[in-house]
């Protein structure tokens, strides 16, 4: 049995899943910023899947998410260095909301449904000097049709 590994990157400042909003008639809807970011996640996952020649898998998934945030320009040189060293972490958005928007955005693209995710690791940190904000996503699953070969792909969108 082989291991399939898919890496993709969502460029830009990471964001968390927004809470549903309600219209004056009581209907719920997803905020437009959330919908737009989910579309960016979907595009990045789709590009990586197509480049690797993969289809959404029904197998159980392991997902590792690392969100890299821009260090605020108002921080002192000392505090910026501490951010890059990992001493300070971004406060907002909450990490669970970042993971949720990534998992929902890749639904029906990298996996059939995010209920298949049996292992999830998520991290948030500030970018290193010269690094652009982004979210790096690694997805892994077993493929019984592969003979102990790694199938890896890296895509940026």
């Amino acid at each position: 049995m082989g291991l399939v590994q898919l890496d993709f990157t969502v460029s830009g400042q990471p964001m968390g899943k927004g809470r549903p909003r309600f219209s004056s008639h009581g209907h719920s809807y997803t905020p437009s910023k959330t919908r737009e970011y989910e579309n960016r996640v979907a595009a990045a996952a789709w590009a990586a899947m197509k480049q690797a020649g993969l289809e959404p898998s029904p197998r159980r998934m392991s997902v590792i998410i690392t969100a890299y945030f821009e260090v605020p320009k108002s921080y002192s040189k000392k505090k910026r260095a501490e951010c890059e060293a990992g001493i300070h972490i971004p406060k907002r958005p909450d990490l669970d909301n970042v993971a949720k928007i990534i998992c929902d955005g890749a639904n029906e693209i990298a996996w059939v449904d995010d209920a298949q995710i049996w292992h999830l690791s998520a991290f948030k940190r500030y970018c290193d000097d010269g690094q652009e904000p982004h979210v790096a996503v690694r997805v892994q699953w077993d493929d019984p049709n592969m003979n102990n070969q790694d199938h890896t792909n890296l895509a940026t969108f």
Side-chain angles (χ1 to χ4, degrees):
M1 188 176 318
L3 178 70
V4 179
Q5 179 174 298
L6 179 79
D7 292 315
F8 65 92
T9 300
V10 182
S11 59
Q13 189 74 2
M15 70 177 285
K17 177 105 177 183
R19 295 183 185 269
R21 302 291 183 223
F22 295 91
S23 69
S24 57
H25 301 292
H27 297 285
S28 66
Y29 64 95
T30 302
S32 61
K33 283 186 177 184
T34 297
R35 216 174 29 252
E36 289 166 9
Y37 195 81
E38 282 180 345
N39 289 339
R40 288 179 46 209
V41 171
W46 183 84
M49 291 291 285
K50 292 303 172 196
Q51 186 175 348
L54 297 170
E55 294 292 323
S57 174
R59 312 238 350 132
R60 68 183 190 157
M61 302 279 171
S62 174
V63 180
I64 303 167
I65 299 168
T66 307
Y68 294 88
F69 292 84
E70 185 174 34
V71 179
K73 297 190 185 325
S74 62
Y75 283 6
S76 67
K77 245 184 179 179
K78 179 183 176 190
K79 192 164 183 181
R80 292 179 74 79
E82 290 173 348
C83 289
E84 291 173 18
I87 295 169
H88 300 287
I89 61 166
K91 293 187 180 356
R92 297 275 179 211
D94 292 349
L95 187 57
D96 59 330
N97 291 326
V98 173
K100 183 70 176 155
I101 202 167
I102 297 295
C103 292
D104 287 349
N107 261 345
E108 299 179 12
I109 298 169
W111 42 75
V112 177
D113 188 284
D114 58 355
Q116 298 167 236
I117 298 172
W118 71 279
H119 171 258
L120 175 65
S121 294
F123 307 90
K124 63 181 180 176
R125 57 165 293 138
Y126 285 111
C127 295
D128 291 332
D129 190 30
Q131 188 178 35
E132 296 293 322
H134 66 283
V135 177
V137 182
R138 173 165 285 173
V139 184
Q140 296 177 325
W141 65 93
D142 294 330
D143 186 347
N145 300 323
M146 293 179 69
N147 297 324
N148 295 325
Q149 300 171 352
D150 277 348
H151 186 23
T152 54
N153 179 51
L154 175 64
T156 303
F157 199 82

